[in-house]
Amino acid sequence: MAESVTAAAEDRFARYPSLQERVVLVTGGGSGIGASLVEHFAHQGAKVAFLDIAREASEALAAGLAGEVRHTPLFLPCDIREIAALQRAIGEAAERLGPVGVLVNNAARDDRHTWAEVTPEYWDEMMAVNLRHHFFAIQAVAPGMKALGGGSIINLSSISWLIPSTGLPAYVAAKAAIVGLTRTMAHELGDSNIRVNAVLPGGVLTERQQRLWRTPEYDRKILNSQCIHRDLLPEDVARLVLFLAADDSSAITNQTHVIDAGWI
């Protein structure tokens, strides 16, 4: 069960002064890892905007944080598959909060499928929801980051392409491509002091995973594959992302950071 960012948790884990008042944009922030990201950044004193297609869960997240944090997160409804809508939402976030200093490309959907049933239309859908928006979100925030004198971009990939996983080849292909995109954009943007890193989670126990894919047998397989035999939770990923967003990691770019309790 994922823990909330309570006062006790804040005392236990790191605080990053450089994240206070920094504008952070999270895609897919309404649930799962994304919601934990929103919560953790908000508790660091950041000005957080997050995009999601799920209105009810996203509005509840923002409302639940109101009064607990310095800046109530700004929820902007958006289907990240629609690039024009994505660009408008990023523009609105910058207009209302200021230039984006941290971008976390988190939105994804790990639908299961067999390789034999994939059609060109389904392939394009998987690329749209898992890969394409990463690039166009980077393109949209980069000018503002340059004007700020730098920034941090964190792209959420997965260990699925390293295992490699089966039963979802289009998703795995997209997650592998994110690492390539991360590396080239780190070189493209490095002269502007914009850092680009990838985070590769393992088997994170989210509500969606529990509802759709996790079974007692699959849980045992994951735990037995890991060096550390405990559930990997959304907040584990969030705390790594906080570090990569903060100035503490100002010399780290062009890297892939695996967080999987030692699965691979």
Side-chain angles (χ1 to χ4, degrees):
M1 186 71 170
E3 65 184 29
S4 62
V5 186
T6 62
E10 288 183 336
D11 290 341
R12 181 182 174 192
F13 297 108
R15 292 197 62 80
Y16 299 99
S18 63
L19 292 179
Q20 292 184 19
E21 305 301 318
R22 188 160 293 178
V23 179
V24 177
L25 178 72
V26 179
T27 65
S31 63
I33 293 172
S36 187
L37 289 166
V38 170
E39 188 176 8
H40 278 76
F41 274 113
H43 276 273
Q44 292 283 334
K47 298 177 180 178
V48 184
F50 68 103
L51 315 182
D52 207 293
I53 198 171
R55 285 178 177 264
E56 185 175 351
S58 298
E59 289 170 353
L61 174 63
L65 288 168
E68 288 187 7
V69 295
R70 183 178 303 181
H71 306 289
T72 301
L74 171 65
F75 165 53
L76 297 171
C78 180
D79 184 342
I80 50 85
R81 295 171 297 183
E82 301 294 334
I83 298 305
L86 173 68
Q87 292 166 332
R88 286 194 300 271
I90 293 173
E92 182 177 351
E95 182 178 342
R96 294 176 64 175
L97 302 181
V100 174
V102 176
L103 168 67
V104 186
N105 275 319
N106 165 74
R109 199 175 73 222
D110 61 340
D111 295 350
R112 270 45 175 180
H113 52 273
T114 66
W115 63 267
E117 69 183 352
V118 173
T119 63
E121 294 76 19
Y122 185 80
W123 179 270
D124 289 345
E125 166 71 6
M126 287 295 96
M127 295 305 111
V129 77
N130 291 307
L131 172 63
R132 186 175 63 178
H133 60 90
H134 282 245
F135 173 78
F136 287 100
I138 293 171
Q139 186 186 66
V141 302
M145 286 187 177
K146 290 180 180 181
L148 287 173
S152 178
I153 297 168
I154 301 107
N155 296 321
L156 269 290
S157 177
S158 165
I159 67 166
S160 60
W161 64 276
L162 291 170
I163 296 174
S165 295
T166 56
L168 61 174
Y171 173 83
V172 170
K175 289 300 183 179
I178 287 167
V179 174
L181 177 64
T182 296
R183 293 181 63 80
T184 191
M185 293 311 298
H187 286 278
E188 294 278 5
L189 300 174
D191 285 346
S192 299
N193 195 35
I194 299 172
R195 300 182 293 114
V196 190
N197 288 285
V199 169
L200 283 62
V204 180
L205 190 64
T206 65
E207 184 278 330
R208 173 180 165 85
Q209 291 296 315
Q210 290 178 290
R211 176 166 46 87
L212 295 178
W213 319 124
R214 298 291 285 259
T215 63
E217 294 76 21
Y218 188 33
D219 286 346
R220 284 194 294 271
K221 176 183 177 182
I222 291 174
L223 293 177
N224 290 335
S225 298
Q226 296 174 176
C227 297
I228 301 171
H229 304 299
R230 72 155 174 91
D231 289 327
L232 190 65
L233 301 174
E235 57 263 31
D236 294 313
V237 180
R239 287 191 283 266
L240 172 58
V241 173
L242 289 180
F243 171 71
L244 293 173
D247 290 353
D248 298 57
S249 60
S250 61
I252 299 175
T253 192
N254 193 37
Q255 301 302 313
T256 57
H257 305 268
V258 173
I259 177 164
D260 67 350
W263 187 338
I264 62 169

